[in-house]
């Protein structure tokens, strides 16, 4: 029955059938593709979190620079 459905799927949507076949075989491998994909997803989440922290720090530094220059300008004109 699976073979029959697989052939029908391959005739209707060959690219989708290839992807499904790849995913089935990738899940069967020990230490295979799925574990790596999950590890990469976790790594990307951590990197995004770090990037957000860097952006916040950069924004704080820019705000401090603005305050310093405003203060210097105010002191210069006083």
């Amino acid at each position: 029955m699976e073979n029959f459905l697989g052939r029908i799927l391959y005739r209707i949507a060959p690219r989708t059938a290839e992807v499904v076949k790849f995913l089935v075989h990738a899940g069967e491998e020990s230490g295979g593709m799925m574990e790596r994909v999950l590890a990469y997803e976790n790594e990307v989440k951590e990197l995004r979190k770090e990037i957000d922290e860097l952006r916040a720090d950069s924004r704080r530094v820019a705000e401090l620079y603005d305050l310093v220059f405003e203060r210097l300008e105010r002191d210069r004109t006083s």
Side-chain angles (χ1 to χ4, degrees), residues 2-3 7 11 14-15 17 19 23 27 35 44 46-47 58 60 64 67 73:
E2 285 182 31
N3 195 15
R7 287 193 309 240
R11 286 184 184 179
R15 274 190 3 202
V19 169
L23 290 174
E35 286 89 14
V44 167
E46 290 175 18
L47 290 171
S58 178
R60 286 187 205 110
L64 287 173
L67 289 173
E73 184 66 27

Side-chain angles (χ1 to χ4, degrees), residues 2-3 8 14 18 25 27 29 34-35 39-40 44 47-49 52 55 57-58 60-62 64 66 78:
E2 285 182 31
N3 195 15
I8 291 174
E18 289 294 324
H25 291 297
E29 295 176 14
M34 297 309 285
E35 286 89 14
Y40 290 148
V44 167
L47 290 171
R48 284 185 178 169
K49 196 180 299 183
D52 290 340
R55 285 180 179 154
D57 290 345
S58 178
R60 286 187 205 110
V61 168
L64 287 173
D66 289 343
S78 298

Side-chain angles (χ1 to χ4, degrees), residues 8-72:
I8 291 174
L9 178 63
Y10 191 77
R11 286 184 184 179
I12 295 173
R15 274 190 3 202
T16 304
E18 289 294 324
V19 169
V20 169
K21 183 179 173 183
F22 174 78
L23 290 174
V24 166
H25 291 297
E28 293 173 351
E29 295 176 14
S30 62
M33 184 74 64
M34 297 309 285
E35 286 89 14
R36 283 188 273 170
V37 169
L38 293 174
Y40 290 148
E41 283 181 353
N42 290 332
E43 202 171 319
V44 167
K45 286 178 187 176
E46 290 175 18
L47 290 171
R48 284 185 178 169
K49 196 180 299 183
E50 289 178 19
I51 288 172
D52 290 340
E53 290 173 7
L54 288 171
R55 285 180 179 154
D57 290 345
S58 178
R59 195 175 315 119
R60 286 187 205 110
V61 168
E63 289 170 355
L64 287 173
Y65 272 122
D66 289 343
L67 289 173
V68 167
F69 286 117
E70 286 174 12
R71 178 72 184 258
L72 289 173

